Each structure stands twice: as C-alpha cells, then as structure tokens.
Amino acid sequence: MERQAIVQAIEAALTDVLERPVAGLSGEVRLFDDLHLDSTTMLEMLMALENSIGLVVDPEELDADDFLSVDTFSDFVESTLGSQVPA
C-alpha cells in the first residue's frame, strides 16, 4: 500500500473516530498533542484501520513511539502491513 493511501486511510479513520472532518494531515502533526487523541481514540482508530485496510496489530507489539506523529504512525502501518501474511 502506498504512503499516500495510508495517510488517507488514517484521515478517514480519524474522521470516523473523532466525528469531525480530518483531512490534509502533514507528517509533522502530533496525534496526541495536535489532534487531542487519547488511548481510547487510538484503539478506536486501530480498529477502524483493521476494518478498512486489514491492519492487524498485536497489542504486545505496540510502542508509544509509533504514535507520536502522522509520520511515525504511517511508518508503523506501512511496516505492519508489509509484514502481514496474506490470508
């Protein structure tokens, strides 16, 4: 999956979870500080991405550094999708 498609999927998931339009995110946007996410909304976003793009995440593998910004989270999604075995 291409980087831009990942960012668009994140924007769609955030729009759904936050119940407000989220678009045009730059990589520097901080998920917790700028978008005011918390652990609950982060989990909801992960579930939305599971439904929309098939992202499967092992909670044991989650690292807070992966959720610092749109860039770090996009890297995490790209890496996770790339290591998943197709069903």
Side-chain angles (χ1 to χ4, degrees), residues 6 10 49 53 55 72-82:
I6 291 171
I10 292 169
L49 289 170
I53 62 173
L55 181 70
T72 61
F73 187 61
S74 296
D75 290 343
F76 168 77
V77 171
E78 190 171 29
S79 172
T80 301
L81 288 174

Side-chain angles (χ1 to χ4, degrees), residues 3-18:
R3 181 79 168 199
Q4 185 59 34
I6 291 171
V7 173
Q8 289 173 342
I10 292 169
E11 290 174 345
L14 285 169
T15 295
D16 185 47
V17 169
L18 297 175

Side-chain angles (χ1 to χ4, degrees), residues 16-73:
D16 185 47
V17 169
L18 297 175
E19 298 179 344
R20 63 180 167 87
V22 177
L25 291 178
S26 69
E28 299 82 30
V29 172
R30 297 168 299 170
L31 298 176
F32 291 98
D33 296 331
D34 297 332
L35 295 177
H36 308 291
L37 299 186
D38 59 24
S39 58
T40 301
T41 53
M42 205 64 213
L43 288 173
E44 290 174 353
M45 184 173 72
L46 286 169
M47 291 187 304
L49 289 170
E50 181 177 358
N51 291 336
S52 66
I53 62 173
L55 181 70
V56 178
V57 178
D58 179 355
E60 298 295 320
E61 295 180 9
L62 294 177
D63 185 342
D65 289 342
D66 293 328
F67 301 96
L68 294 176
S69 68
V70 171
D71 269 345
T72 61
F73 187 61

